[in-house]
Amino acid sequence: MGQMFIGLVLLAVAFFLRLGASAVRDGARPVGSALRMGSLAALVIGVLLLVGSTAVVINAGEVGVQHAFGSVNPSPLLPGIRMVPPWSSIEHYSTREEQYPFTGDQVEEIAALSSEQMGMTVDVGLRWQIDPQQAARIYTEIGNEDQIHSAVRNALRKGVRDGMVQYSINDISKRTQIANTMEALVDSALVTQPRVGGPRFRIATVTAFFLRDLQPPAQVVQAINNKIAQEQQVETERHRVEVARLQAEQQRLLNTTLTPEALTRQYFDVLRELKTSNNMVILVPTAGGIPMLNLGDLRRNLRP
């Protein structure tokens, strides 16, 4: 609008300079020439400003919304050079994928309740994108980009809280299922109903949802840790009992199988094996014990 006003002023200046140059007498030709040159310069600059005030450049990754005097053009301005009336204003929106929180090291911790009404702390991240064809409605109903970011944050917090209340403390391990539920609810919360009536429209579309952390209350964490420790202790005791049972069963089998008859049979088997071996030691069971006979020493002692 300012460019158009300056351009009109310069055109008026060029017109009056031209009138002044034509009114100069022939004896003042240098003055007339200067006025004509000034008029031409003002004319060229004024025309350029007027043309420039009607040309708008929409950069790649952006969409423009044209509005003037309370009226909004429903057709979005896509990337490129666009000609618009000089009295119009242009609102620029990014059509690139946005993220929240804005940097990876930032944290968005949301207080939520489980189905048992236990307080939970949920850390999430979100990636989203607007539809360029909805830019005019977004401008009419929501506002500028800062207001869009605010609407996305509110939808994120609502979806996380509505999703968490569907699960209990015992469902914390179902992270993927919880994340899918929250993502669907956040995406649904980004669809709004215009205040002035008409069909519902989408503020933005969720392109990615990240459930980065899910923390129950400290007392619940302590109770879970205690339960795990107790289960491990019970498992250890069960293992000890099983080992003792197996040892007792093994001892019982030995007591029932190692009878005198079985030992005698095994002794005879050993004697039969000695017939083909070089072993010179023989165990002879007697009533007083089991003496050991070394046949090698016996043979040496019997030699004359």
Side-chain angles (χ1 to χ4, degrees):
M1 194 70 176
Q3 280 187 336
M4 182 185 69
F5 178 75
I6 296 174
L8 292 175
V9 170
L10 288 176
L11 290 179
V13 170
F15 175 74
F16 287 113
L17 289 177
R18 189 68 179 176
L19 286 179
S22 63
V24 173
R25 296 179 180 179
D26 294 339
R29 287 182 180 179
V31 176
S33 297
L35 291 176
R36 280 191 292 272
M37 290 297 295
S39 173
L40 180 61
L43 177 64
V44 171
I45 296 174
V47 170
L48 290 177
L49 287 176
L50 285 177
V51 173
S53 66
T54 62
V56 176
V57 177
I58 306 298
N59 296 320
E62 288 186 346
V63 65
V65 177
Q66 174 188 336
H67 59 95
F69 309 116
S71 177
V72 178
N73 190 332
S75 300
L77 300 176
L78 300 179
I81 299 177
R82 305 299 172 187
M83 305 304 294
V84 298
W87 54 83
S88 296
S89 298
I90 307 299
E91 188 73 29
H92 294 260
Y93 294 102
S94 173
T95 57
R96 294 188 175 95
E97 191 178 54
E98 304 282 341
Q99 71 175 17
Y100 181 80
F102 301 105
T103 59
D105 56 350
Q106 291 181 332
V107 176
E108 174 64 11
E109 291 186 346
I110 300 174
L113 296 176
S114 66
S115 59
E116 305 95 344
Q117 299 301 299
M118 295 290 293
M120 306 284 291
T121 301
V122 187
D123 178 16
V124 295
L126 181 70
R127 297 188 70 87
W128 53 276
Q129 195 170 24
I130 71 168
D131 181 4
Q133 299 300 324
Q134 297 289 339
R137 301 194 68 184
I138 291 174
Y139 175 76
T140 302
E141 297 296 331
I142 306 299
N144 58 26
E145 277 201 307
D146 290 337
Q147 291 168 311
I148 295 176
H149 282 269
S150 178
V152 170
R153 285 195 299 270
N154 291 334
L156 175 64
R157 292 164 183 169
K158 181 180 185 302
V160 168
R161 293 187 177 109
D162 291 347
M164 191 66 249
V165 78
Q166 300 180 21
Y167 295 90
S168 68
I169 295 292
N170 297 327
D171 296 329
I172 293 179
S173 59
K174 303 176 181 178
R175 292 177 59 91
T176 302
Q177 183 178 344
I178 295 174
N180 292 336
T181 301
M182 291 180 177
E183 179 179 356
L185 291 172
V186 172
D187 194 64
S188 175
L190 289 171
V191 179
T192 185
Q193 177 68 47
R195 298 185 300 273
V196 295
R200 296 166 63 85
F201 75 98
R202 177 174 291 278
I203 302 173
T205 301
V206 175
T207 57
F209 182 88
F210 308 99
L211 178 57
R212 300 191 293 196
D213 194 16
L214 184 61
Q215 288 293 334
Q219 61 269 25
V220 175
V221 174
Q222 185 63 39
I224 293 175
N225 292 336
N226 292 339
K227 181 180 178 181
I228 294 175
Q230 291 175 358
E231 291 176 351
Q232 292 177 343
Q233 184 176 2
V234 169
E235 187 65 25
T236 301
E237 292 299 327
R238 185 180 293 114
H239 176 72
R240 290 177 180 175
V241 170
E242 183 65 17
V243 170
R245 187 189 67 80
L246 291 175
Q247 291 176 346
E249 181 67 17
Q250 183 180 15
Q251 186 64 40
R252 186 186 66 81
L253 291 175
L254 288 174
N255 294 335
T256 56
T257 56
L258 293 180
T259 61
E261 294 79 5
L263 291 174
T264 302
R265 185 166 53 252
Q266 290 183 8
Y267 175 69
F268 289 146
D269 292 338
V270 171
L271 290 179
R272 281 193 295 269
E273 292 175 358
L274 287 174
K275 292 166 56 178
T276 58
S277 69
N278 296 323
N279 193 350
M280 303 302 292
V281 177
I282 300 177
L283 300 178
V284 181
T286 63
I290 303 178
M292 181 175 64
L293 297 179
N294 191 326
L295 297 182
D297 294 340
L298 183 59
R299 288 174 181 176
R300 285 192 297 271
N301 294 330
L302 294 177
R303 288 177 183 174

